[in-house]
Amino acid sequence: MPTTPDRSGPGGDGVPAAGSSVVDIAIGRLRHRIESGEFAPGHRLPPEAVLAGELELSRPSLREAVRALAMAGVLDVRRGDGTFVTDLRPDRLLRALGSFLDLAQDTGLNEMLECRKVLEPGATALAATRIDEAALDRLQERIERMRGLHDPEELVHEDIAFHADIVAASGNRTLASLADSVTQRTARARIWRALVKSDVLSWTHQQHMDIYTALRAHDSLAAFTAASRHVGDVELWVRDRLDAVRDRR
């Protein structure tokens, strides 16, 4: 057991922030071990009782921290086998952790996700009635470019551009401005999701193809439905994980 206080709290400078919960502190201490390289990608964590003692934490606090970090994609809990640091690259792993903790504190994120769900499907339906061949060809080129991407952040940036092109094709500049404002507020959550969701590349490609097919057919109802499914699935995935952590704070 350490003989000196562990200065690895969530405040970013190693010292627990004022008002930090015991779970926040537990997350910070685990994060310190990961950042230092002691718990590297693929590393199996010590048994709960041993790790709680090493980190000077109660076992319930450690258990909650592990659950939160598993939701963030940082830890992989394998029933009957133990808990492992995921095989993400270290820089991505820590970025995912930071984004997750920051997003859990963003009380306005839920409203922005709702706004996106209201705006984008309607804009996509409108675009289906107005989009021209040149814009459709550009969307097809962007989809093919995304198919070859393997970096999650690059994928999200292309995804944002894909949807911006569709809203622009609606011909409504006010709608485009509103959608862009919402996009900027939800981009971080979408990047975090792309970093930790293993099948996001194939999932995103298929849903983009569904949207594109509806636009190519100038079918506004199909375009609205495909865009609603795409945006709604992202919202549900993010909400489920963040709400679970907020409920335990």
Side-chain angles (χ1 to χ4, degrees), residues 126-171:
L126 183 59
T129 67
R130 298 178 176 178
I131 195 166
D132 59 26
E133 288 299 310
L136 285 166
D137 289 343
R138 287 194 296 272
L139 287 178
Q140 186 173 25
E141 290 171 4
R142 196 175 290 283
I143 288 174
E144 289 305 312
R145 187 157 57 250
M146 281 189 280
R147 187 201 292 267
L149 292 177
H150 298 286
D151 182 274
E153 288 188 79
E154 290 182 10
L155 175 68
V156 171
H157 289 309
E158 281 291 328
D159 173 72
I160 288 171
F162 173 81
H163 292 289
D165 287 349
I166 292 173
V167 177
S170 73

Side-chain angles (χ1 to χ4, degrees), residues 32-102:
H32 176 70
R33 295 292 182 96
I34 294 168
E35 288 177 327
S36 69
E38 182 177 349
F39 293 162
H43 181 94
R44 180 178 178 174
L45 299 189
E48 182 181 271
V50 174
L51 185 57
E54 290 179 355
L55 298 179
E56 298 184 318
L57 297 167
S58 70
R59 292 177 68 174
S61 295
L62 175 61
R63 199 171 300 129
E64 291 299 308
V66 167
R67 286 176 182 167
L69 296 185
M71 289 180 186
V74 175
L75 297 178
D76 179 17
V77 180
R78 304 174 192 172
R79 188 174 300 276
D81 196 21
T83 300
F84 295 79
V85 178
T86 57
D87 290 328
L88 293 172
R89 282 185 359 217
D91 58 332
R92 287 185 181 170
L93 183 148
L94 294 172
R95 192 183 311 130
L97 172 56
S99 296
F100 178 76
L101 296 177
D102 292 342

Side-chain angles (χ1 to χ4, degrees), residues 13 23 31 34 38 45 52 69 71 98 119 122 167 185-187 225 238:
D13 56 0
V23 176
R31 177 175 181 167
I34 294 168
E38 182 177 349
L45 299 189
L69 296 185
M71 289 180 186
L119 288 172
V167 177
R185 288 288 306 276
T186 61
T225 301
V238 172

Side-chain angles (χ1 to χ4, degrees), residues 7-18 20 24-25 27-29 31 101:
R7 301 173 67 80
S8 56
D13 56 0
V15 179
S20 295
D24 290 328
I25 294 169
I27 289 171
R29 292 181 181 177
R31 177 175 181 167
L101 296 177

